Amino acid sequence: MAGSLNGLAILAWNEGDYETAEALYMQALAIWQQAYGENHADVAKGLNNLGLLYHQMERVEEAEAHYRQAIVIYERVLGPEHPRLATAVNNLALLSQFRERYDDAAPLYERALAIREKVLGPDHPDVAQTVNNLANLYRLQGKFDQAEPLYRRALAIRERTLGADHPDVAWTRRDLGVLICERGDPEAALPYLESAVAIFEQAHGPDHVELAAILEDYADALGRLGREEEAAAMVAEVARIEALAE
């Protein structure tokens, strides 16, 4: 029953119905708590899921509280080196980064990465996720020399384990392109941004709302190079996609 409610919550979330998703997640959590008590991995999962939803809704205080409760339970019932714990820690790091608490985010990412590397090995897609997240954090802080090798490591892992045409590869190529552009070399950034657009379009089609974010970065690089007409065409494409999503 709780598992079915959890699945329905995900469907509601994907449809943008956050109120329904919250109610369903809370029902699932209550069932798990009643069945198992507070100290069970499924209870931690339910708390983590609510944390993710609250993060999406920008209810950041509630998100943090739920993530922290999930982490405590995972540590208690699964131990300090379990992949589920790493996921919750990674989620808390993402929230801290969103709140611009960069000094809090870095050690959380490092902890999640250490767990994932030890348990899953250095070439697992989940390792690449945390490596990419840590690179994003460094880029936001202007620590470009620390960010670039992490992006390149994440890209290598994702291409090797997921294939060159996977959407996660597109995102890392986009992130690396943005970094190179921000370092002042938009010409060198273009191949990464162009390939990110091509991979994402192939995977999800030309109307996917997340493609707009990549196109915006592509337009920015073109604008920095003085290629104004091409940049304007990209901006128009972004507007078209966003209009479809409304």
Side-chain angles (χ1 to χ4, degrees), residues 154-190:
L155 180 60
I157 295 171
R158 284 177 162 170
E159 288 181 331
R160 185 163 54 248
T161 60
L162 302 174
D165 295 330
H166 194 279
D168 287 352
V169 171
W171 280 115
T172 301
R173 285 189 167 276
R174 172 262 182 190
D175 291 339
L176 185 53
V178 170
L179 171 71
I180 293 170
C181 192
E182 289 179 351
R183 293 182 77 165
D185 194 354
E187 188 72 49
L190 284 184

Side-chain angles (χ1 to χ4, degrees), residues 10-34:
I10 293 170
L11 290 174
W13 183 347
N14 289 338
E15 293 173 357
D17 187 354
Y18 297 152
E19 184 176 345
T20 298
E22 180 183 10
L24 290 166
Y25 273 142
M26 291 181 74
Q27 289 178 52
L29 177 60
I31 292 170
W32 281 322
Q33 288 171 324
Q34 185 173 7

Side-chain angles (χ1 to χ4, degrees), residues 81-88 115-116 119-120 126:
E81 295 178 346
H82 195 279
R84 287 198 196 180
L85 172 62
T87 297
I115 295 170
R116 285 177 163 174
V119 176
L120 303 173
D126 288 353

Side-chain angles (χ1 to χ4, degrees), residues 6 13 25-26 28-30 32-33 37-55 62-74 76 88 91:
N6 202 66
W13 183 347
Y25 273 142
M26 291 181 74
L29 177 60
W32 281 322
Q33 288 171 324
E38 292 296 328
N39 293 315
H40 192 276
D42 283 348
V43 172
K45 179 173 73 172
L47 290 165
N48 185 72
N49 288 342
L50 277 166
L52 288 167
L53 179 64
Y54 291 143
H55 184 173
E62 291 166 278
E64 180 174 352
H66 282 74
Y67 284 147
R68 291 194 181 281
Q69 289 179 66
I71 288 168
V72 169
I73 296 170
Y74 278 140
R76 185 178 298 137
N91 291 341

Side-chain angles (χ1 to χ4, degrees), residues 72-229:
V72 169
I73 296 170
Y74 278 140
E75 288 174 331
R76 185 178 298 137
V77 301
L78 299 179
E81 295 178 346
H82 195 279
R84 287 198 196 180
L85 172 62
T87 297
V89 172
N90 185 78
N91 291 341
L92 181 57
L94 283 167
L95 179 68
S96 298
Q97 178 177 312
F98 175 75
R99 300 176 75 180
E100 299 184 356
R101 296 180 174 180
Y102 299 147
D103 290 342
D104 294 335
L108 291 167
Y109 281 138
E110 290 165 358
R111 181 185 179 193
L113 179 58
I115 295 170
R116 285 177 163 174
E117 286 179 323
K118 183 171 182 177
V119 176
L120 303 173
D123 293 327
H124 193 278
D126 288 353
V127 170
Q129 179 198 50
T130 302
V131 169
N132 202 95
N133 289 344
L134 185 57
N136 284 336
L137 176 65
Y138 286 148
R139 178 173 59 82
L140 289 171
Q141 294 177 291
K143 299 177 179 179
F144 298 148
D145 290 342
Q146 292 172 261
E148 183 171 356
L150 293 174
Y151 280 138
R152 294 193 183 278
R153 181 187 173 194
L155 180 60
I157 295 171
R158 284 177 162 170
E159 288 181 331
R160 185 163 54 248
T161 60
L162 302 174
D165 295 330
H166 194 279
D168 287 352
V169 171
W171 280 115
T172 301
R173 285 189 167 276
R174 172 262 182 190
D175 291 339
L176 185 53
V178 170
L179 171 71
I180 293 170
C181 192
E182 289 179 351
R183 293 182 77 165
D185 194 354
E187 188 72 49
L190 284 184
Y192 293 98
L193 297 169
E194 289 169 355
S195 62
V197 170
I199 294 167
F200 204 88
E201 280 188 334
Q202 182 179 351
H204 294 297
D207 299 331
H208 196 284
V209 67
E210 292 182 2
L211 177 61
I214 303 174
L215 289 171
E216 281 185 320
D217 296 319
Y218 191 14
D220 177 62
L222 290 168
R224 294 184 190 217
L225 289 168
R227 294 163 60 174
E228 300 297 340
E229 289 187 9

